[in-house]
Amino acid sequence: MPVLETGGTIHELNDAETIVGSGAAATWRLGGADLSARHFIVSLGSDGQASVKSCSTQNVVLVNGRQLGVRPLPLADGDTIAAGTARFVYARDASSLKPPAEPSTDKAYLVDERARVAYPLARRSVSVGRDAASIVVVKDPQVSRFHADVRSEAGAHVLYSMGSAGTTVNGYGLSAPRVLEPGDKIGIGQSTLLFVRGPLPAGVKLADSPAPATAEWSRRSTMSNQAVNTGERPKYEDSRGFPWGMILAAAVVVVVLVVVGLKFMR
């Protein structure tokens, strides 16, 4: 009987499809593992061959360290499936179960290639953007305040694009979470961040704290590639900046007071 094992718990794959997730619709429901309601599906063919596929392009699933798409991938004895904070091992029979493959323990970084500064990916989530609260602050008007996150997930580092300005990896637009591989180049605005695992490149210094940023800069609106000038001026001002509307209103008040005063003097 084919099985999946995680954390010492063995689940027999009795059904044609086993849905693994945290929701009520999951066949195998797991809480506390950071799984979506329907995270991935393990299917059994008529010949007994098992395959796995992700339930959504937004769900991160790795098989033996490689990111899985929504197309089914055949499973072999000992294959490790990583999702959320859980690691599963597939076996054709419980007696042939093996320990799961361990993820890499090498330190990972985002390297600002222009500034030659490396940001450690030591937190569960590392924010990238123009906002001063970001771990990696990018001073670029084309970058959103909260542009992207790099999250530790499924034993890997996953890039999520959050901003409206868009994110690229190796020149291709990002439309779904992407597991980063060493050497990947992340493009945001006019900046490039290199994903590095292991020793840092020569000449790159380590950033001990988030890059400095002023509150004024981080509050500015995100700009497109071409700024738009509407030609409008603030109310009550002419081209020299005089508040004529306010002056006129004050003059009317003075005239009214004078008229009222003259009536009382008669």
Side-chain angles (χ1 to χ4, degrees):
M1 172 68 66
V3 297
L4 279 181
E5 183 273 337
T6 183
T9 300
I10 297 176
H11 183 87
E12 293 185 345
L13 303 174
N14 298 312
D15 302 323
E17 284 192 344
T18 299
I19 303 170
V20 181
S22 60
T27 309
W28 188 8
R29 188 176 182 182
L30 294 171
D34 289 341
L35 299 176
S36 65
R38 293 164 48 92
H39 207 96
F40 65 89
I41 299 175
V42 177
S43 303
L44 287 178
S46 58
D47 57 354
Q49 174 64 54
S51 61
V52 60
K53 69 175 182 178
S54 177
C55 291
S56 168
T57 57
Q58 300 303 310
N59 295 343
V60 176
V61 182
L62 277 68
V63 178
N64 300 331
R66 295 293 180 180
Q67 187 170 7
L68 182 67
V70 293
R71 294 182 178 179
L73 177 72
L75 289 171
D77 263 340
D79 280 351
T80 299
I81 303 170
T85 59
R87 301 178 70 77
F88 305 82
V89 178
Y90 168 78
R92 287 183 174 272
D93 186 85
S95 62
S96 63
L97 276 170
K98 302 176 182 178
E102 293 298 326
S104 172
T105 57
D106 290 337
K107 293 182 179 180
Y109 306 87
L110 285 184
V111 176
D112 186 328
E113 291 196 312
R114 183 165 51 187
R116 306 299 290 171
V117 173
Y119 298 89
L121 298 176
R123 303 188 182 192
R124 186 170 182 179
S125 179
V126 173
S127 55
V128 181
R130 202 179 68 248
D131 192 86
S134 298
I135 303 300
V136 182
V137 179
V138 182
K139 289 186 176 182
D140 185 338
Q142 295 181 26
V143 173
S144 300
R145 290 181 60 201
F146 306 100
H147 197 101
D149 281 343
V150 178
R151 305 175 191 172
S152 295
E153 184 176 353
H157 290 90
V158 184
L159 176 65
Y160 287 79
S161 182
M162 314 291 287
S164 59
T167 305
T168 63
V169 177
N170 301 328
Y172 294 94
L174 191 67
S175 59
R178 163 92 177 237
V179 173
L180 293 173
E181 300 287 346
D184 280 347
K185 292 190 174 183
I186 304 167
I188 56 172
Q190 299 299 314
S191 298
T192 300
L193 301 174
L194 177 68
F195 178 70
V196 174
R197 188 184 289 280
L200 289 173
V204 173
K205 62 181 180 180
L206 191 63
D208 295 325
S209 59
T214 63
E216 177 188 359
W217 178 271
S218 66
R219 287 197 300 265
R220 294 178 184 175
S221 299
T222 304
M223 295 176 60
S224 60
N225 292 332
Q226 185 175 5
V228 178
N229 183 6
T230 62
E232 294 182 356
R233 294 175 181 150
K235 294 181 179 179
Y236 308 117
E237 293 187 5
D238 69 359
S239 59
R240 293 170 295 175
F242 291 117
W244 290 111
M246 296 177 63
I247 295 174
L248 179 60
V252 171
V253 173
V254 172
V255 171
V256 171
L257 292 175
V258 171
V259 172
V260 172
L262 290 174
K263 286 185 178 180
F264 278 104
M265 292 176 61
R266 289 178 181 175

